[in-house]
Amino acid sequence: MDNAGWHAQRRADKDSFRYFSRRHRGSDGQYVPEVVVGPLPNGQISTALPEYTPRPSNISSSATHSKRLAEMPPAERAMAQRIPQMSPLLQFMVGPLLRYDTIDMNGVWHGAALIVTADAGSNYDPVPVLTYQWDPEEPRRVPNSPTSSTFSKYELSPHPADPHATPLLAWEDVAKTGTDEKGRPKACTGTIDQTQRVVGQEIYVYSGRGGGTFTFWRFPIRIQLGANELCIKYSINGGIQLSFYVPALRQNMRWATHSCNGFSAGVNPDDYRGPGFKSGYDPMWVDLLQKHSQEPFHVLVGGGDQLYCDSITREPEMQDWVHAQNGPSKLACPLTPEIAECIDRFYFNHYCTSFRHGAFARANSSIPMLNMCANQWWRLEIDGFGSYPDELQSSPIFQAIGARGYYFYLLFQCFINPYIDGLDDRPGHHPFKSLILGIQGPFVGLPSHSFLAPLGPNVHILMLDCRAERKKDRVCSDAQYKKVHDHIKQLPSSVEHLIVQIGIPIAYPRLVFLETALDSKLNPLIALGRNRFLGLGGLVNKFNAEAELLDDLNDHWTAKTHKKERNFFIQELQGIAKMKRLRITFLSGDVHCAAVGVFKTYTGGRGSVEVSPSGDFRYMINIVTSAIVNTPPPAAVIAMVSTLATKVHKTLHYAQTDETMIPLFTHDPNGTVRVKNKYIMGRRNWCAVQWDSRTGEVIFDLRVEKEKGVGTSVGYEVRVPPPQWAPGP
C-alpha cells in the first residue's frame, strides 16, 4: 500500500545504481554530498521563497487590495509595502516553526518557536529575541463580514509564503493603526495590549565538515487565555511579523491533521502539480491554508511521515553498504566516522530543505504543530524502521540511522534536545509539560516520546510514539502502555473525547493472504527477485532480500506479529472508556487513502438489537487520513482493499467487539454516485476537526482532493458522538 508502484521502484533502483557508478571525491579527499543546503539570503526567513505565479481566480481581490494601497498618502503607501529588516541580522536556515505543548491549570497556553541560523551570516550580539503581542479584548474578525477585507492572507496571488507580498499586511491593521518605522502594522493601542519578549535558548549547534556551524534557537511562548480567541502576532529581531491563533479559555480547538508529506522514490512530483503551482507538493497544503484563512486552526497535528528520507541511500558514503551483495555483508559494514558524519549531514540538510519549502513552510509558521513519531525519520522506499529483523536493525549503520533520525526528529519537530532538556518527565522537570517518556528504544538509544495534550476542556489528544520502542514483534512496551494509561486515567472529568494518534490504522481491511504469500519461501516470484531474474529485483528490498512490501505489512497493527498486542491495546482502551466515560477515537494515516474503520459492541448476530453508538463504550472510530502529498495506491489495489472492507471481522468477538468499515464515500468529489468502492477513497487528503458545542460531537471533515493538483478539496464529514453511559467498572 505504501509503495510508489512497480515502475517507479524500477526507475528509482536504476537511478541508484547509476549514481553508485559516478560518485566521486572532492579535492579535500571527501565524497561530494548529494545535497548541501545553503542559508537563505540575508534577512529572509524560511517562508520567503516565492513559489507561485498568479492565478486568474485571485486577480480581482489582489487588484482591489492594490487599489486601496494606491489611495493611501505616499508616505503611508511606501511604509505599508516596506519589508521589515531584522536587527541584529540573522541568516536563516529554516524557521520560524511553531509548536503547541499544553494549556495548564491556570489557563496559560504553552508553546514554542524554533529557528535555525547560519552562524557565519548572523549577528548574535545580542542573542535573538522573539517578540509576540496580543490584545485580550480584540474580537477575532469574522471572515467575509462587512467590516473585514475580502482579501485572504493565504491567497495564491501572490504566494502566501512570500514576505515580499504586501497583502501579508492585513488591510484592517494598516487602516486602523498605520505602520511603524520598519513597515510593520503598529501594535494595537489599547491599554490592555500584551507584549512579551523572549530571549532565544541555544539548544543545539550542528557542525558540518567544511560547512560552518548552525545554531538551533528555541523561544518558549506563554499566553494567558481569556474570554476571546486571540490572534498572536510575532516577529524575531524586529523582522517581518507573522501570526497564529490561540483559543479562548473554555473553547475547544479547531485543528487540522495530515500525514505522508512527501513523495515515494521514483514518483515525479510534477505529475501532481496543477496550473499555477511550481511543485506537486503544494496543492493540498494551499487548500489547508485557505481553510485556515477562513476559520483559523489552533493546532496542526502531524500524524507521521512528515518527512520522507528515501534519498539517504543516494548519499555517496552509503553506497558500499546499500549495494552490498547480501545480508551478512551489510551486517559486517562498519560505522566509519565518514558515514556517521554523512548521516547527520543528510538529516540536517533534508529537514532544512523540507521544512522551509513552499506552503508547508507557511503552515509551520502560522499554525502551531503537534507531531508524533511515526516513520518519517527512516524510510527507504518502504515503511518501517522497527519492522526488519532485529539482527539487521542492530547492525552499526542501521542503528546509527535510527538513532540520529530519531534525534533530529526530536529537534526539528518537537523542539527537544534530550541531552539538554533531560529525560525526566515529572512535572517541573522538563520544558514540555505534555511529554510522556517510555523506555529506551532498542535501536534508537533514547526512550519513546509520547505526548498527551488538551485540545480544549472537552477534548484531549494522545500522540502515541509507536516507533521508538518498536521491534518486529512489538509496537510499544508494556511499560509505555501502563504509563500512558495511568496518565489517561488522571484526565479531568470534563474530558469527554480522547483522540489517539497512532500513525498506522488499527481498524482497516486485512491483507493476511498477501502477507502469507510474501512471507513464503516457496513464492517463485520472490525467489526470482532475490536473484534479479526477469527484472524482478524490485520485488525484494536491498537490506535483507525479503519481499519489498512485507515489512510494510509487518508494520501494520493487523499483522500476525502484532495481532495479540493490538487486541490487548483495544481492550485496555475499552476498559478506560467505560470507567472514565470517555469516547475514544483513533486517528491514523500511512496507507495513502481516506477511510473510516469502526469498533462497536457485538450483540450476537442476526436479529439482535445493536447498541446505540452514543451509549456504546466500545464504539471507537478510526479516522484514516493520508496522504496530503504522496500518491494514492493503484486503482487495482484500491478496488481490492475496498472489497476486503465489506467484511465484518470476528477477531474480537470473544471481547464482544465487532470490527468493520463505514461506507462514507457514496459519491465522488465531483458528485458522481459511487456504485462500488464506498469504503476507500484513493485521493490525496487531509482532515479538519472541530467540536460541536450544540451536540458535544467531534466532527472530522475529511478533505479530499477534488481534482489532481488543482488545490481544492471536497469534504466528507464523520461525527463522533459524546459518551452517554454511566461511568464505572
Side-chain angles (χ1 to χ4, degrees):
M1 289 297 291
D2 195 24
N3 193 288
W6 164 244
H7 295 293
Q9 289 293 349
R10 289 195 66 190
R11 287 196 300 270
D13 203 37
K14 288 180 179 179
D15 289 343
S16 180
F17 276 107
R18 289 193 194 104
Y19 186 79
F20 179 60
S21 64
R22 63 180 171 83
R23 62 178 180 151
H24 61 279
R25 294 183 183 270
S27 58
D28 60 356
Q30 305 298 320
Y31 281 118
V32 177
E34 174 73 355
V35 176
V36 174
V37 179
L40 291 160
N42 285 348
Q44 290 191 8
I45 61 177
S46 66
T47 53
L49 305 177
E51 292 292 330
Y52 295 95
T53 54
R55 297 177 65 183
S57 61
N58 298 318
I59 289 177
S60 60
S61 59
S62 298
T64 301
H65 188 74
S66 297
K67 183 178 179 181
R68 289 177 174 177
L69 285 170
E71 294 171 350
M72 297 173 67
E76 292 183 20
R77 182 170 65 247
M79 194 68 71
Q81 299 178 77
R82 183 175 298 172
I83 306 303
Q85 297 297 314
M86 287 182 286
S87 179
L89 181 67
L90 300 174
Q91 193 166 41
F92 279 69
M93 290 295 294
V94 70
L97 310 176
L98 295 174
R99 185 191 188 284
Y100 165 64
D101 179 27
T102 193
I103 297 171
D104 67 23
M105 297 295 292
N106 297 315
V108 176
W109 185 98
H110 294 259
L114 179 81
I115 62 173
V116 182
T117 53
D119 294 345
S122 300
N123 182 351
Y124 300 145
D125 185 18
V127 297
V129 172
L130 180 141
T131 302
Y132 59 102
Q133 59 190 41
W134 70 95
D135 182 347
E137 294 190 355
E138 179 185 18
R140 181 174 63 83
R141 288 188 295 271
V142 179
N144 300 323
S145 70
T147 59
S148 70
S149 168
T150 58
F151 182 82
S152 163
K153 283 187 179 182
Y154 300 105
E155 277 190 278
L156 304 187
S157 175
H159 183 250
D162 179 7
H164 295 83
T166 55
L168 278 177
L169 306 180
W171 173 262
E172 293 89 344
D173 292 336
V174 175
K176 181 172 64 175
T177 65
T179 56
D180 63 17
E181 69 281 0
K182 293 187 176 182
R184 298 166 299 192
K186 289 180 181 178
C188 299
T189 56
T191 58
I192 57 173
D193 176 54
Q194 301 290 316
T195 300
Q196 301 290 330
R197 291 175 177 82
V198 181
V199 175
Q201 304 168 346
E202 178 186 319
I203 63 169
Y204 181 65
V205 178
Y206 168 72
S207 176
R209 181 176 296 170
T213 56
F214 306 88
T215 303
F216 287 67
W217 301 96
R218 182 175 67 197
F219 304 88
I221 301 174
R222 310 285 184 264
I223 300 161
Q224 176 63 60
L225 301 183
N228 300 322
E229 185 176 355
L230 302 174
C231 177
I232 311 300
K233 302 169 185 177
Y234 74 99
S235 63
I236 296 172
N237 279 15
I240 188 169
Q241 191 176 75
L242 301 170
S243 64
F244 64 95
Y245 284 83
V246 297
L249 180 59
R250 301 193 181 281
Q251 179 184 3
N252 289 293
M253 299 183 190
R254 296 179 300 273
W255 48 286
T257 181
H258 68 94
S259 70
C260 301
N261 181 41
F263 288 107
S264 297
V267 177
N268 182 1
D270 286 343
D271 292 343
Y272 287 79
R273 176 174 61 88
F277 294 95
K278 291 190 179 296
S279 168
Y281 286 86
D282 287 335
M284 290 301 283
W285 277 109
V286 169
D287 180 66
L288 187 153
L289 287 171
Q290 287 176 322
K291 300 298 185 293
H292 175 63
S293 71
Q294 296 163 8
E295 193 75 7
F297 297 118
H298 303 117
V299 178
L300 181 63
V301 173
D305 290 352
Q306 293 97 15
L307 190 73
Y308 276 49
C309 296
D310 308 57
S311 53
I312 194 173
T313 59
R314 296 179 58 83
E315 293 297 327
E317 294 89 342
M318 306 292 289
Q319 298 310 304
D320 291 331
W321 177 68
V322 169
H323 295 289
Q325 292 302 308
N326 53 48
S329 298
K330 282 185 168 59
L331 293 176
C333 284
L335 178 66
T336 65
E338 195 172 50
I339 292 176
E341 188 267 337
C342 154
I343 293 170
D344 274 21
R345 181 191 68 218
F346 168 79
Y347 279 120
F348 178 79
N349 285 300
H350 195 44
Y351 262 110
C352 286
T353 301
S354 301
F355 276 61
R356 76 187 196 189
H357 177 77
F360 179 50
R362 185 59 177 175
N364 292 337
S365 66
S366 54
I367 313 173
M369 300 182 293
L370 187 57
N371 292 316
M372 74 168 297
C373 181
N375 310 322
Q376 67 276 6
W377 45 276
W378 172 244
R379 291 185 53 92
L380 298 179
E381 298 146 10
I382 43 180
D383 278 338
F385 194 90
S387 297
Y388 292 111
D390 293 353
E391 182 184 33
L392 179 60
Q393 293 182 114
S394 298
S395 63
I397 295 177
F398 236 92
Q399 201 152 24
I401 291 173
R404 299 308 291 170
Y406 192 72
Y407 179 74
F408 277 100
Y409 151 75
L410 291 176
L411 273 175
F412 276 99
Q413 295 182 239
C414 302
F415 307 175
I416 290 173
N417 183 342
Y419 302 112
I420 289 180
D421 298 324
L423 297 174
D424 188 345
D425 60 1
R426 291 177 299 168
H429 288 75
H430 197 278
F432 293 99
K433 302 176 184 299
S434 61
L435 175 64
I436 302 175
L437 290 171
I439 65 170
Q440 179 167 308
F443 310 119
V444 300
L446 288 167
S448 59
H449 286 61
S450 298
F451 301 94
L452 180 60
L455 296 175
N458 304 107
V459 184
H460 273 56
I461 187 167
L462 169 66
M463 310 292 286
L464 184 66
D465 188 339
C466 295
R467 191 56 54 180
E469 298 180 0
R470 181 182 287 260
K471 301 171 68 175
K472 188 172 181 178
D473 61 352
R474 181 183 78 188
V475 178
C476 300
S477 68
D478 292 341
Q480 183 181 7
Y481 282 126
K482 184 180 185 308
K483 194 169 182 180
V484 165
H485 291 168
D486 287 345
H487 277 72
I488 295 173
K489 291 172 183 177
Q490 295 171 19
L491 290 176
S493 59
S494 63
V495 179
E496 295 186 335
H497 291 268
L498 175 66
I499 315 299
V500 180
Q501 173 75 65
I502 51 175
I504 295 172
I506 199 166
Y508 197 70
R510 311 286 201 275
L511 295 174
V512 175
F513 72 94
L514 183 58
E515 182 184 357
T516 301
L518 293 175
D519 200 24
S520 173
K521 296 179 181 179
L522 302 178
N523 189 320
L525 293 178
I526 302 306
L528 290 171
R530 291 190 179 108
N531 293 284
R532 297 192 175 274
F533 288 153
L534 303 178
L536 296 175
L539 285 175
V540 297
N541 65 57
K542 299 182 179 76
F543 303 104
N544 61 345
E546 286 187 349
E548 178 73 11
L549 284 175
L550 184 57
D551 96 288
D552 195 9
L553 295 174
N554 285 338
D555 225 31
H556 280 223
W557 285 95
T558 53
K560 289 181 291 186
T561 54
H562 298 315
K563 186 178 294 185
K564 183 177 179 181
E565 179 180 350
R566 169 187 180 269
N567 294 347
F568 158 80
F569 183 38
I570 293 167
Q571 289 177 258
E572 282 288 297
L573 289 178
Q574 288 177 344
I576 294 173
K578 182 180 180 182
M579 179 184 68
K580 290 278 296 180
R581 202 179 67 89
L582 189 64
R583 175 70 67 202
I584 294 176
T585 300
F586 295 105
L587 182 62
S588 54
D590 180 76
V591 292
H592 300 181
C593 304
V596 182
V598 59
F599 298 105
K600 57 185 178 179
T601 291
Y602 171 62
T603 53
R606 185 175 300 176
S608 301
V609 179
E610 286 199 1
V611 180
S612 167
S614 60
D616 186 358
F617 67 88
R618 296 187 181 91
Y619 187 83
M620 299 179 182
I621 291 287
N622 185 181
I623 302 293
V624 182
T625 175
S626 72
I628 193 169
V629 169
N630 211 345
T631 60
V637 175
I638 295 291
M640 176 186 68
V641 175
S642 187
T643 300
L644 295 171
T646 62
K647 181 179 179 180
V648 176
H649 293 281
K650 302 177 181 179
T651 307
L652 286 166
H653 275 190
Y654 72 90
Q656 292 182 268
T657 303
D658 257 348
E659 174 193 345
T660 187
M661 305 293 291
I662 294 178
L664 178 67
F665 306 105
T666 56
H667 292 74
D668 276 322
N670 63 5
T672 304
V673 175
R674 289 185 136 199
V675 178
K676 299 180 180 180
N677 192 7
K678 300 177 182 180
Y679 297 91
I680 308 293
M681 178 62 75
R683 295 181 184 231
R684 301 197 297 183
N685 62 88
W686 58 278
C687 189
V689 190
Q690 62 179 322
W691 184 75
D692 189 330
S693 60
R694 298 167 302 171
T695 64
E697 298 169 306
V698 171
I699 305 171
F700 292 86
D701 185 14
L702 282 160
R703 306 299 308 181
V704 175
E705 190 170 32
K706 187 173 184 180
E707 185 179 340
K708 186 167 74 172
V710 300
T712 58
S713 65
V714 173
Y716 293 84
E717 189 176 282
V718 181
R719 288 177 169 263
V720 178
Q724 294 181 353
W725 59 84

